[in-house]
Amino acid sequence: MKKDIVIAMDLGGTRIKLGLVSGPEVLASLETDACSEQGLAQRLPGIAEAIRGLLAQKSIGNEALKGVGIAIPGIVDSVHKKVLTINDKYGDVISLDLEKWAAEHFGVPLEIENDTRAALLGEWKFGNGRGYNDVVLMTLGTGIGTSAVIEGKILRGKHFQAGILGGHFIVNPKGRLCNCGNVGCAEAEASTWNLAEIVSAHNSVADSEEVDAGKLDFKLIFELAADGNQWAKTIRGECLEVWAACAFNLVQAYDPEVLILGGGIMASRDHILPHIQSKLKGNSWCSWGEVKVLEASLKNTAALLGVGSLF
């Protein structure tokens, strides 16, 4: 039997996505709560059981499997198949032997990659990055993820950090403290994990009845701004400027033909896409033309397809 099925895992901070992938197609998939603060080891038995359920659902035996591909939010040594550094999620993964886990449970090899790099691989090969040799992805969500393809090769770097730390471009040297220890990173200035602090810095919000700390997210900010709420419009404007500055830095650093924007915050695409495109039009160094700004086309499957493509 031809081995053409990859077990794909996208280990997000909030949700885990599992899928069976064959080329550009996700044959079956499911999502489950991540509980990432509790580590990965305690989740692995349930993950293995869920994968076996997907295989049974599609009547696929281990003999058809090509490998296990894992996308995870950390700095990943894709050569030695291990996570080098990770921030506040799956803290125990650095000590886990995931190659052994894949071999013992499914009898196949393992590939592992940073989650945003995996998502870019998916978009580049099967989504809105197809046909381009130089592509940058920026995801706006809990944090800000980035990755780059340059001259037809995914960018990794000597220490596997290249391309993926755009969320830690410093856009405000006098800004907020980031969870990485620096001050004024794009993530600290405009991402969901720091939104409560961003909002609390506006005195006009202190007595606002619209804000419930448990419901505070960018969806609410953009909705309130659309209704004319002044503090929400101010915060929306500040965050749009931060995202545009981060995008501008990515373009200057990696010289792409196209910038792809993804992540949960892109539900407000009608504001974000034109704002960033207009800012990039002012780039006097792009004498060759204009960097295209596109929304990610594979909203829930990019990382699954990306790790599948590693085989």
Side-chain angles (χ1 to χ4, degrees):
M1 178 179 290
K2 184 179 179 181
K3 294 178 178 288
D4 60 356
I5 308 296
V6 175
I7 296 168
M9 301 165 53
D10 181 7
L11 304 180
T14 304
R15 302 284 288 172
I16 291 173
K17 298 174 186 175
L18 305 175
L20 303 179
V21 173
S22 178
E25 187 177 1
V26 178
L27 304 176
S29 65
L30 61 82
E31 289 190 35
T32 184
D33 290 335
C35 305
S36 58
E37 71 282 354
Q38 299 175 20
L40 182 59
Q42 57 92 22
R43 300 291 283 120
L44 287 176
I47 287 172
E49 183 178 355
I51 291 169
R52 283 191 285 269
L54 288 178
L55 292 169
Q57 175 187 324
K58 291 295 180 178
S59 301
I60 297 172
N62 283 6
E63 67 278 2
L65 299 177
K66 189 184 296 185
V68 171
I70 299 177
I72 191 165
I75 295 175
V76 175
D77 180 341
S78 54
V79 175
H80 298 100
K81 322 295 184 196
K82 61 182 181 179
V83 178
L84 302 176
T85 306
I86 198 161
N87 193 6
D88 297 330
K89 304 166 187 173
Y90 308 111
D92 62 346
V93 71
I94 293 171
S95 63
L96 298 180
D97 188 343
L98 294 173
E99 272 194 294
K100 181 179 179 181
W101 178 83
E104 287 182 347
H105 283 273
F106 303 105
V108 292
L110 173 82
E111 295 288 350
I112 185 167
E113 188 53 273
N114 167 268
D115 59 345
T116 309
R117 202 176 275 142
L120 177 54
L121 281 168
E123 282 289 339
W124 177 41
K125 292 179 179 295
F126 307 114
N128 275 345
R130 281 178 299 179
Y132 297 100
N133 284 328
D134 296 87
V135 185
V136 166
L137 173 70
M138 180 167 73
T139 60
L140 304 174
T142 303
I144 296 176
T146 65
S147 186
V149 166
I150 296 180
E151 296 180 344
K153 290 185 177 181
I154 192 77
L155 188 64
R156 291 189 174 93
K158 183 173 180 61
H159 304 103
F160 305 98
Q161 296 180 196
I164 63 173
L165 297 177
H168 298 280
F169 285 157
I170 295 174
V171 296
N172 182 5
K174 297 181 180 179
R176 299 178 176 88
L177 179 66
C178 185
N179 57 20
C180 74
N182 282 326
V183 170
C185 294
E187 273 202 12
E189 299 296 313
S191 64
T192 303
W193 70 260
N194 210 27
L195 187 55
E197 181 176 329
I198 294 166
V199 169
S200 69
H202 292 262
N203 293 332
S204 61
V205 182
D207 299 321
S208 174
E209 295 181 359
E210 295 100 333
V211 176
D212 179 336
K215 299 178 181 178
L216 185 60
D217 58 16
F218 277 102
K219 181 175 183 290
L220 176 62
I221 297 295
F222 275 82
E223 286 176 351
L224 292 173
D227 289 339
N229 184 293
Q230 192 54 51
W231 67 260
K233 288 171 70 175
T234 299
I235 292 171
R236 180 185 67 182
E238 290 177 356
C239 290
L240 283 169
E241 289 301 313
V242 169
W243 297 329
C246 188
F248 198 93
N249 287 339
L250 289 165
V251 168
Q252 302 295 62
Y254 304 123
D255 188 21
E257 301 165 271
V258 61
L259 170 69
I260 297 175
L261 300 177
I265 296 174
M266 287 304 295
S268 300
R269 66 183 70 81
D270 292 344
H271 288 280
I272 297 171
L273 283 167
H275 184 83
I276 291 179
Q277 183 72 79
S278 69
K279 291 293 182 178
L280 293 183
K281 282 183 179 178
N283 186 352
S284 61
W285 294 107
C286 284
S287 57
W288 55 269
E290 184 178 307
V291 177
K292 294 180 182 178
V293 180
L294 303 174
E295 185 183 6
S297 58
L298 305 172
K299 295 178 177 61
N300 295 311
T301 61
L304 296 178
L305 293 172
V307 292
S309 75
L310 292 172
F311 294 88

